[in-house]
Amino acid sequence: MKEIASREKDEYYMKRALSLAVLGQGETSPNPMVGCVLVKEGRVIGEGYHHRCGGDHAEVEALKDAATRGEDVRGATAYVTLEPCCHFGRTPPCAQRLVSEKIARVVAAASDPNPKVKGGGLAVLREAGIEVSCPCLEAEARWLNRGFIRVQTLGRPWVTLKAAASLDGRMALSNGESQWITGLEARTEAHRIRASHDAVLVGVGTVLKDDPELTVRHVEGRNPRRVVMDSQLQTPTDAKAVTGDGGCLILTASKDAARKKRLEDAGARVIALPEKDGHVDLNAALSCLAQEGILTLMVEGGPRLLTAFMEKELGDWISIFIAPKIMGDGPGLGTGLSFASVAETLKLKGLQARRVGEDLLIEGRFTCSPDL
């Protein structure tokens, strides 16, 4: 019974640490989101989270909070949503800081997949005589930092495919018209999802057809980085994605120096990548985005771009808004995919569905998505 009570207590404080960690969403990349709660004699004496890349880590924020409260942290337990770091980066190592502050026990939700850490932080704590308990609510902690884990283990971001379609799966009419398939509530929710990602990616076809801003509207939130997949550098220099605040990143297979210069003069960054089948190699593109510090990527392109990601099994998650409409002929989600049998088709797991205004939002993880 004592062991159960202790585990429940650990999970209680870890849930608080996780709720703090998520406050850093959108600001910490390429670092993970981390929260920390300091507990002594049954009281929370300090707490904090990693606010932004380059700023203090969660453990230091919590120690500072305890100092502000006039609390003595010696002998306290630190609940941290990720293994404390043990290397010098933009900030000093947190594991050694916890040792110097004479923390008695550390409960970590999950180990850090970063090769520079990967158990090293916990080892520093144990060698100093600190009691270490790990994992605790590991699944929740790893899901929170799925983008960080993807980059550290696979060298690519976590990829969400987003689409709006009719009941018969069409993303546009046969004449190309697609605005608006879904209602305002669904579009608002789509912007909320967009704000939770580090970057949003569209193909040049979407830029030429719709000239999207790729910003967050309807809701409060930070604008993700704008990325355009443009194999032949057809993006207009006056496209909203290019001229908007912060410009955009254009990934291309083109070697046309004159077009590149015009786009860069307009405010874009252009990166040439390897070509595959006449298009930018998607694996190279994702590797490039990871190197740019992007942990989570939302793909909002048209049917062809979404199909390309699904064909290469590079999507992790899908968010599809289904409108109660029959649109008949026209391009649809998955147009261009071909399977020899139903058993080979792409499948989802952990399916979630909810009504958003007059539309339905269906979300789930592709079964081909590697485990976290």
Side-chain angles (χ1 to χ4, degrees), residues 61-98:
E61 288 281 350
L63 289 167
K64 287 183 174 180
D65 181 46
T68 300
R69 301 185 191 195
E71 297 284 1
D72 182 358
V73 301
R74 290 175 296 180
T77 295
Y79 292 89
V80 192
T81 59
L82 192 67
E83 172 185 2
C85 63
C86 57
H87 66 291
F88 280 89
R90 294 180 178 88
T91 60
C94 292
Q96 191 57 52
R97 178 65 183 273
L98 293 175

Side-chain angles (χ1 to χ4, degrees), residues 49-366:
Y49 67 95
H50 186 37
H51 288 250
R52 63 188 61 84
C53 179
D56 288 334
H57 287 188
E59 298 93 324
V60 175
E61 288 281 350
L63 289 167
K64 287 183 174 180
D65 181 46
T68 300
R69 301 185 191 195
E71 297 284 1
D72 182 358
V73 301
R74 290 175 296 180
T77 295
Y79 292 89
V80 192
T81 59
L82 192 67
E83 172 185 2
C85 63
C86 57
H87 66 291
F88 280 89
R90 294 180 178 88
T91 60
C94 292
Q96 191 57 52
R97 178 65 183 273
L98 293 175
V99 171
S100 65
E101 295 283 352
K102 294 183 169 46
I103 296 296
R105 181 172 180 249
V106 172
V107 181
S111 60
D112 190 334
N114 185 340
K116 295 179 180 179
V117 184
K118 210 168 187 178
L122 300 180
V124 167
L125 298 172
R126 290 189 175 105
E127 288 169 6
I130 294 176
E131 180 186 346
V132 174
S133 180
C134 179
C136 176
L137 299 184
E138 182 179 24
E140 292 89 335
R142 292 180 71 83
W143 178 255
L144 176 68
N145 280 309
R146 54 195 179 278
F148 178 73
I149 292 171
R150 271 289 177 270
V151 169
Q152 294 298 326
T153 58
L154 298 181
R156 70 163 178 85
W158 175 272
V159 177
T160 296
L161 306 183
K162 177 264 174 183
S166 60
L167 273 176
D168 52 346
R170 305 304 178 189
M171 294 179 63
L173 297 176
S174 57
N175 64 7
E177 183 182 342
S178 61
Q179 294 184 335
W180 298 101
I181 294 175
T182 56
L184 178 59
E185 293 92 339
R187 299 199 297 275
T188 299
E189 182 63 21
H191 279 254
R192 187 173 289 108
I193 297 172
R194 181 185 286 179
S196 70
H197 287 72
D198 292 333
V200 55
L201 170 69
V202 297
V204 67
T206 297
V207 173
L208 294 172
K209 176 176 171 290
D210 298 330
D211 193 19
E213 296 179 44
L214 302 180
T215 55
V216 171
R217 302 180 301 281
H218 309 304
V219 298
E220 290 187 10
R222 157 192 151 280
N223 288 328
R225 295 179 65 180
R226 300 187 289 274
V227 184
V228 177
M229 193 80 78
D230 182 0
S231 299
Q232 302 305 316
L233 288 182
Q234 299 173 290
T235 301
T237 55
D238 61 351
K240 292 175 183 175
V242 173
T243 60
D245 290 343
C248 74
L249 181 62
I250 297 178
L251 306 181
T252 186
S254 172
K255 296 180 174 60
D256 191 319
R259 289 185 181 181
K260 176 182 178 182
K261 185 177 186 309
R262 285 196 295 270
L263 284 164
E264 290 182 332
D265 287 345
R269 277 186 63 210
V270 180
I271 298 180
L273 295 172
E275 177 185 320
K276 191 167 186 179
D277 302 324
H279 302 283
V280 174
D281 185 302
L282 290 186
N283 282 292
L286 292 178
S287 177
C288 171
L289 295 178
Q291 292 171 25
E292 288 287 315
I294 292 169
L295 304 184
T296 53
L297 175 69
M298 185 173 180
V299 180
E300 288 199 56
R304 282 188 296 180
L305 185 61
L306 292 171
T307 293
F309 272 87
M310 289 188 285
E311 187 175 36
K312 302 296 183 184
E313 296 189 347
L314 291 173
D316 293 297
W317 185 264
I318 188 167
S319 297
I320 178 168
F321 292 88
I322 303 295
K325 300 171 183 175
I326 304 295
M327 294 174 58
D329 292 338
L333 184 66
T335 295
L337 289 175
S338 180
F339 302 101
S341 69
V342 173
E344 296 178 3
T345 56
L346 288 174
K347 301 175 184 66
L348 301 177
K349 60 183 177 181
L351 205 63
Q352 305 169 18
R354 59 188 171 92
R355 187 169 177 174
V356 183
E358 62 185 17
D359 306 303
L360 185 67
L361 172 59
I362 298 177
E363 298 181 292
R365 185 171 172 185
F366 288 102

